Amino acid sequence: MELEGRGAGGVAGGPAAGPGRSPGESALLDGWLQRGVGRGAGGGEAGACRPPVRQDPDSGPDYEALPAGATVTTHMVAGAVAGILEHCVMYPIDCVKTRMQSLQPDPAARYRNVLEALWRIIRTEGLWRPMRGLNVTATGAGPAHALYFACYEKLKKTLSDVIHPGGNSHIANGAAGCVATLLHDAAMNPAEVVKQRMQMYNSPYHRVTDCVRAVWQNEGAGAFYRSYTTQLTMNVPFQAIHFMTYEFLQEHFNPQRRYNPSSHVLSGACAGAVAAAVTTPLDVCKTLLNTQESLALNSNFTGHITGMASAFRTVYQVGGVTAYFRGVQARVIYQIPSTAIAWSVYEFFKYLITKRQEEWRAGK
C-alpha cells in the first residue's frame, strides 16, 4: 500500500516501510494510520498519515446518517404509506380479533381459533364481510401514522441528544413512542369506533356513513372519543414496550443502522408480539367501550359504559379474570405481521425517499 507524503524511513518508531514489509506489519501500520495513531518520535504526525477513506460507489447512502435528507415530510409520507398498508393487509384478522373479544357473543359467533373464525365468517356472511369498514380504517390510518412516525423520529433524536449524546437511549425511544401515541390515537380513535361497530356480528351498519350518522345522532360526538383515555392507557405502555424492544433488537441485528429489510421485519414482529400480549386486557376494555356491546350493557346499571374503570368492572362482572384475555391469540397473530409490515414498509420508503432526495441534491 503506497502512502503519500511518507518519510524516507516510514513512520518513526514503527515498522520499516517498503516492499520488504511483512503483510502483518502492513496491516498493523495501516490500522494505526487510519486511526491517526502513527506519530513520530517527537510526537508530530509522520507526514500525511490519514489516507482517504474509500467508499464503494455502488453502495447506497447510509440513510440513518443523513439528517439533511430524512426530513419531517419524508417521515410523514413513509409513515402514512406504512400505516395504510399495515391496516389493509391485516384487516381480516383485525375483524376476527374484534369478534373474539366480544364478552357475550352470539352462539353463531363463537370461534375456537382465528382460522376457523375467518373461514366461518366468509362461508356464512360472504367473501367480503371481513373487509367491511376497511375504507374508514385506511382513511384514518394515513394521517394517524404520518403524525406518529414523524413525531417519534423527531423526539427520539431530540431526547437521545439530551440523555445520551451521540448514542441511542432506550428511555428516549420509549418516551418518544408515548408522545407519538397521543397524536396517533387522536387521529385514529373515531375511525376505530366506526370500524369496530361495523366488524361486530350482526352489525346493522353496511356503510360507513350510516354508522357515523347513527352514532352522532344517538350518542353524540363524544362517543367517537369515549375510548380515548383507555386507548391511551393501552397504547402508551404498548408503544413504549414496542419501540424499546424494536430499538433494542436493532442494536443487535442491525448495529450500523443501514437499510436491512430482514432486521426490520424480525425486530418489528418480535416487538409487536411482546407488546400485544402484555396489553391485551386493555384492548378488551377498549373494544367494549367502542362497541358498547348490548349484552354487556345489561351488566352495567348506568347505561353506556363511559370510562376505563367502568369497562374493567363490566368485563370482570361478565366473564371474570379470563375475560381480560379474550382474543389474545388473534391479537398476537395480528400484531406480529402487522408491526413487521409497518416497520419494513416505513424503513423502505424512508430509505427510498432519502436516497432520491440525496441524488437530486447531488445533481443540482
Side-chain angles (χ1 to χ4, degrees), residues 125-158:
E125 301 175 53
L127 178 63
W128 297 106
R129 180 62 183 90
M131 307 301 290
R132 187 184 296 177
L134 175 62
N135 51 350
V136 70
T137 301
T139 301
H145 280 72
L147 293 171
Y148 176 70
F149 279 107
C151 179
Y152 171 71
E153 293 279 8
K154 178 65 177 177
L155 284 178
K156 180 182 76 169
K157 183 179 185 306
T158 302

Side-chain angles (χ1 to χ4, degrees), residues 72-254:
V72 172
T73 303
T74 297
H75 296 145
M76 293 186 77
V77 172
V81 175
I84 292 171
L85 286 178
E86 168 201 348
H87 283 280
C88 288
V89 171
M90 298 306 301
Y91 195 80
I93 306 300
D94 187 52
C95 176
V96 171
K97 176 182 74 74
T98 297
R99 293 196 180 192
M100 293 184 75
Q101 288 180 337
S102 174
L103 298 178
Q104 294 287 342
D106 186 282
R110 296 179 187 272
Y111 312 113
R112 290 191 298 270
N113 55 60
V114 174
L115 290 179
E116 188 230 3
L118 195 56
W119 166 246
R120 282 175 55 187
I121 291 172
I122 293 173
R123 183 167 56 86
T124 60
E125 301 175 53
L127 178 63
W128 297 106
R129 180 62 183 90
M131 307 301 290
R132 187 184 296 177
L134 175 62
N135 51 350
V136 70
T137 301
T139 301
H145 280 72
L147 293 171
Y148 176 70
F149 279 107
C151 179
Y152 171 71
E153 293 279 8
K154 178 65 177 177
L155 284 178
K156 180 182 76 169
K157 183 179 185 306
T158 302
L159 294 175
S160 291
D161 289 343
V162 173
I163 298 172
H164 189 189
N168 181 41
S169 169
H170 294 308
I171 296 176
N173 299 333
C178 292
V179 176
T181 299
L182 297 175
L183 297 178
H184 172 274
D185 288 357
M188 194 67 188
N189 211 89
E192 282 282 324
V193 172
V194 175
K195 174 200 76 173
Q196 290 199 304
R197 295 199 181 203
M198 297 183 73
Q199 288 175 332
M200 294 295 287
Y201 179 75
N202 272 343
S203 171
Y205 310 114
H206 294 274
R207 294 186 301 177
V208 170
T209 53
D210 295 337
C211 184
V212 172
R213 187 183 304 111
V215 173
W216 184 282
Q217 292 176 348
N218 299 331
E219 303 174 46
F224 293 105
Y225 282 93
R226 187 178 285 136
S227 66
Y228 184 58
T229 54
T230 301
Q231 183 103 336
L232 288 178
T233 305
M234 175 186 72
N235 280 345
V236 166
F238 177 92
Q239 297 302 347
I241 296 169
H242 172 201
F243 280 115
M244 290 172 72
T245 305
Y246 179 82
E247 297 290 352
F248 173 78
L249 292 174
Q250 280 290 285
E251 285 184 354
H252 287 76
F253 297 139
N254 188 18

